[in-house]
Amino acid sequence: MKSLKTKRPYFYILPALLFISLFIGYGIFRAGVESLGSNGSMFVHYTALLSSEEVYKTVRISLYVTVTSTLLSILIGLGITRLLYRFFTSVKWKYIVWVPIIIPHFVAAYLVFILFSQSGLLSTVLHGVNGFGLPFPLVNDQGYIGVILTYIWKEVPFVVLMLLPIYQQIDQRFEDVVRTLGGNTWQVWKTVELPWVGPVLLETGLIIFAFVIAAYEVPALLGVTYPKMFSVLVYEWFYEGSWENRPLAQALMIVLTVVMVISSLIIITISKRWKKQWAKEKIK
Amino acid sequence: MNHLIDVRSLEKTYQNQTILASISFSVNKGEIAAILGPSGCGKTTLLRCLAGLEPISAGDILLKNERVNNVETEHRPIVLMFQEPFLFPHMTVLENVMFGLKQQKLSKKSRVQQGLEMLDKTEMSSYKDTFPHALSGGQQQRVALARALVMKPALLLLDEPFSSLDQYLRDTLRDWVCALLKQEGVTTLLVTHDKEEAMMIGDRVILLKDGNIQQQGKPNEVYQFPENENVEGMFSDGLQLGGTFIPSQYLQIASQDEQTVDKVVSQGTISSFFFKYGLCFYQVKLKEHNVKLILHSKQEFKEGSKVLIMSNMNK
């Protein structure tokens, strides 16, 4: 009976496991098989990736866009959350901050395009004012500013959504304890807020990072033709007339998947350990 | 003047509601003053104002004759200890105790030394590397006290520090804390709603109700000579009769047929009885006042029996 009881949770998650292994697992498996070379070296496509200047630049621009978007979203989201939970606890219209969540990424990218492109609304208004328009391109620019802006606009509400309930759980008297023992705002953040929200910040950061680095529509619409972000390059390699680059596309996606899975495992382990101490306090 | 803290006409209003109205009192150096009052009377708000956690609406707070109204919490030499210990769960006992010392930028060696000394005084040194979740409620409260005392605060504010503990632990810890505070010579302001606690710990008691100080003084003086009905109800035991208060020590229960020279002040019915400290106490429901009075008597009465309440106050 006891073994049946301990096995029951696994039984319940069986449908989910089947779904994941069938649709995601099989997809990754096929991609993995297709990424391997048939003749000579098995990892010929992987070595080709390593020696490709284009891939190197793609990795660089993808990491730059992803890290920047993730960090800025986290920082701005954190700031807004601290403001919301302190000053607007009873104000219902605080939920307006979550409106961007319901707008699809493609629509968000299009809005950024309409607003910030060289022929966009902002440029037109500025042209009317100073006769020059935008001083530098924000959309389809080498710096991927339009892409980063779109992700920040979309992900900040997500960060707030994740953090607000956590902040509302913090017992404010911990802050009072820190202050009465001589601690300043930084100490309050370090001693009370960070240990409490840190794990969620890490997990939220991981979700945003994983999404942004592999997302297609925003860089496709607002990015530049060279260097391309991961998904745009992979899409191009996958669907171009010749099938020559398909194994390369699969190999690049497999590398990305492996890196993300390993990073996720590390971050989730850290986050779990971090949560443990405060969870013990809560249980008491 | 040996006043360590002087509170002058302190007022606190919140959303047009008066929480504290013109509060004035002072506490001498090394003295323990107990603030007693029912729930919602503003006693916790008063402590928070003194600690700087709440801004005050009017009045002055003088600490060692210096006005500290606008001094931020972290710069006031005042430490507030709460009802619950609020130990940082991700820190060990020693790290918790050293937290305040770290803010004072003391060297690590000095912090460890002072932290260990204080843990020794609070009899918690063997738990220095333990995390708070592994401690009992009483032990956690001891660590919280060590964390507060190690700061050597000019004024220690205790906000019902024993209320979250069970009766036995509360009694034990209360005596121990009182002795430690006296030994360390810490000027303390203790908030409580337990009048026995206020009497036992406080050198002086300050009675608060509806944001106003009702009376302050030595516990025995306030107990015996309450100045108004609120104090009589909150702190004293006795009977209010047409503007005159007769303390319980002057009252006796007598059976209706008893011959006595004492003055009959009321009549009532014995509603229940209980034993405490080796004595029998009777709860008498008074006839004309619709109040209940608890009096000790060596004489035996049955529940429901009609009795007389006698006073020998003016003998």
Side-chain angles (χ1 to χ4, degrees):
Chain A
M1 280 303 280
K2 201 184 169 190
S3 67
L4 196 73
K5 260 188 179 175
T6 53
K7 279 173 188 164
R8 196 174 283 173
Y10 300 105
F11 179 73
Y12 289 142
I13 61 163
L14 202 61
L17 277 176
L18 277 174
F19 182 84
I20 291 168
S21 29
L22 203 68
F23 289 92
I24 301 172
Y26 181 71
I28 292 171
F29 171 74
R30 286 300 311 161
V33 170
E34 284 171 28
S35 71
L36 298 173
S38 48
N39 303 319
S41 168
M42 264 178 90
F43 297 105
V44 62
H45 302 303
Y46 289 92
T47 45
L49 286 180
L50 283 175
S51 56
S52 163
E53 173 77 7
E54 190 178 17
V55 169
Y56 168 72
K57 287 195 170 166
T58 291
V59 169
R60 213 170 62 168
I61 196 71
S62 298
L63 282 177
Y64 152 73
V65 170
T66 309
V67 170
T68 312
S69 308
T70 308
L71 285 181
L72 287 177
S73 301
I74 291 279
L75 285 175
I76 297 168
L78 185 66
I80 291 175
T81 309
R82 293 183 88 231
L83 203 73
L84 278 175
Y85 103 101
R86 276 170 198 275
F87 301 112
F88 302 115
T89 43
S90 59
V91 182
K92 282 180 183 165
W93 52 262
K94 68 184 174 188
Y95 298 110
I96 208 163
V97 80
W98 292 337
V99 167
I101 288 183
I102 55 175
I103 293 172
H105 274 85
F106 188 80
V107 177
Y110 187 61
L111 283 175
V112 168
F113 186 83
I114 291 170
L115 287 171
F116 298 113
S117 69
Q118 292 232 286
S119 56
L121 197 64
L122 186 65
S123 190
T124 313
V125 170
L126 284 175
H127 189 265
V129 175
N130 61 19
F132 295 108
L134 275 171
F136 51 86
L138 290 172
V139 166
N140 305 122
D141 65 303
Q142 292 283 327
Y144 274 77
I145 293 171
V147 176
I148 293 169
L149 277 177
T150 310
Y151 283 131
I152 290 172
W153 189 69
K154 276 290 293 170
E155 308 315 332
V156 162
F158 173 66
V159 176
V160 176
L161 181 78
M162 296 291 280
L163 291 184
L164 204 55
I166 307 294
Y167 259 97
Q168 280 165 347
Q169 280 173 20
I170 301 177
D171 194 321
Q172 284 309 295
R173 287 171 295 181
F174 271 110
E175 178 179 341
D176 295 341
V177 170
V178 172
R179 293 210 181 267
T180 193
L181 291 169
N184 52 20
T185 307
W186 171 248
Q187 281 301 330
V188 172
W189 157 249
K190 202 176 126 191
T191 317
V192 181
E193 293 175 36
L194 184 61
W196 192 272
V197 301
V200 181
L201 269 183
L202 262 185
E203 287 164 10
T204 310
L206 176 71
I207 294 168
I208 298 174
F209 189 93
F211 175 78
V212 173
I213 203 159
Y216 172 78
E217 65 266 56
V218 180
L221 188 69
L222 302 175
V224 286
T225 44
Y226 190 83
K228 293 182 182 71
M229 279 185 70
F230 270 126
S231 300
V232 180
L233 180 67
V234 168
Y235 184 87
E236 193 179 287
W237 278 352
F238 199 86
Y239 284 110
E240 65 192 2
S242 117
W243 283 19
E244 201 178 299
N245 284 330
R246 270 205 173 186
L248 279 178
Q250 305 283 35
L252 193 54
M253 280 290 111
I254 288 291
V255 170
L256 191 60
T257 306
V258 170
V259 169
M260 281 318 299
V261 167
I262 293 170
S263 318
S264 303
L265 287 175
I266 294 169
I267 284 176
I268 289 166
T269 311
I270 296 170
S271 160
K272 256 187 173 175
R273 279 190 192 164
W274 210 348
K275 277 179 186 169
K276 228 174 168 179
Q277 293 295 336
W278 287 89
K280 278 176 184 165
E281 175 71 12
K282 259 180 90 181
I283 288 162
K284 284 174 77 69
Chain B
M1 257 201 330
N2 197 23
H3 294 166
L4 182 107
I5 186 161
D6 241 321
V7 177
R8 295 178 184 171
S9 308
L10 186 148
E11 284 178 33
K12 172 72 186 171
T13 51
Y14 182 71
Q15 291 178 342
N16 296 327
Q17 197 189 340
T18 304
I19 313 290
L20 297 168
S22 200
I23 300 284
S24 296
F25 68 89
S26 53
V27 185
N28 296 331
K29 197 171 186 303
E31 193 179 35
I32 301 178
I35 300 176
L36 182 78
S39 297
C41 72
K43 48 190 195 301
T44 295
T45 307
L46 175 60
L47 286 201
R48 292 180 62 83
C49 287
L50 297 181
L53 294 167
E54 296 278 350
I56 61 172
S57 309
D60 280 318
I61 302 168
L62 280 84
L63 194 72
K64 295 176 184 168
N65 293 323
E66 279 189 31
R67 195 167 171 269
V68 292
N69 290 23
N70 300 321
V71 177
E72 287 179 344
T73 307
E74 51 264 44
H75 298 125
R76 291 190 193 189
I78 298 174
V79 174
L80 172 60
M81 194 180 143
F82 296 84
Q83 284 179 17
E84 289 159 60
F86 291 114
L87 300 176
F88 303 119
H90 56 296
M91 294 183 189
T92 63
V93 163
L94 182 60
E95 284 167 348
N96 262 286
V97 173
M98 295 190 308
F99 179 82
L101 300 174
K102 200 172 178 184
Q103 313 315 314
Q104 292 178 343
K105 310 272 184 258
L106 293 181
S107 68
K108 192 175 179 186
K109 194 180 165 192
S110 172
R111 293 199 307 258
V112 172
Q113 190 194 336
Q114 290 186 43
L116 287 174
E117 272 173 25
M118 191 47 73
L119 281 177
D120 209 29
K121 283 179 186 169
T122 50
E123 298 163 20
M124 286 299 293
S125 48
S126 54
Y127 295 94
K128 67 182 172 66
D129 298 321
T130 310
F131 281 94
H133 64 83
L135 301 176
S136 70
Q139 287 171 329
Q140 288 195 8
Q141 216 42 329
R142 278 175 189 239
V143 177
L145 186 72
R147 185 174 64 178
L149 287 180
V150 80
M151 300 287 291
K152 296 187 176 63
L155 179 67
L156 177 66
L157 307 172
L158 302 176
D159 187 4
E160 303 196 38
F162 315 112
S163 64
S164 61
L165 306 173
D166 63 58
Q167 184 67 47
Y168 173 74
L169 207 56
R170 188 158 60 221
D171 293 345
T172 323
L173 201 63
R174 188 166 54 198
D175 297 343
W176 176 83
V177 167
C178 187
L180 185 66
L181 292 176
K182 284 289 172 195
Q183 180 194 319
E184 296 287 305
V186 186
T187 311
T188 307
L189 207 53
L190 166 92
V191 150
T192 179
H193 61 259
D194 182 339
K195 74 176 182 187
E196 282 181 22
E197 193 166 281
M199 281 187 208
M200 287 164 86
I201 297 186
D203 298 317
R204 230 149 41 76
V205 289
I206 299 164
L207 273 75
L208 202 64
K209 193 178 182 192
D210 301 329
N212 287 291
I213 289 184
Q214 304 293 326
Q215 192 174 344
Q216 50 182 312
K218 289 185 176 171
N220 59 331
E221 290 171 0
V222 177
Y223 183 79
Q224 289 185 55
F225 308 107
E227 287 174 0
N228 60 45
E229 282 186 27
N230 286 332
V231 180
E232 288 160 18
M234 283 161 63
F235 200 67
S236 296
D237 295 306
L239 183 61
Q240 172 65 242
L241 273 179
T244 312
F245 180 73
I246 308 170
S248 286
Q249 64 263 40
Y250 298 113
L251 295 171
Q252 281 176 19
I253 311 172
S255 56
Q256 281 193 320
D257 51 357
E258 196 172 309
Q259 298 294 314
T260 171
V261 291
D262 292 337
K263 186 181 163 192
V264 177
V265 289
S266 187
Q267 293 180 45
T269 312
I270 301 285
S271 58
S272 61
F273 64 92
F274 60 89
F275 292 92
K276 203 172 182 184
Y277 314 121
L279 299 173
C280 184
F281 291 85
Y282 292 94
Q283 184 167 265
V284 187
K285 191 179 177 194
L286 299 184
K287 199 176 168 185
E288 59 271 65
H289 306 290
N290 200 24
V291 287
K292 285 180 178 175
L293 186 67
I294 294 173
L295 290 173
H296 151 66
S297 178
K298 285 180 181 168
Q299 223 178 311
E300 210 173 293
F301 298 99
K302 285 183 179 169
E303 273 183 25
S305 54
K306 307 277 184 199
V307 291
L308 302 173
I309 304 297
M310 324 292 291
S311 164
N312 59 3
M313 190 161 79
N314 298 321
K315 262 188 178 178

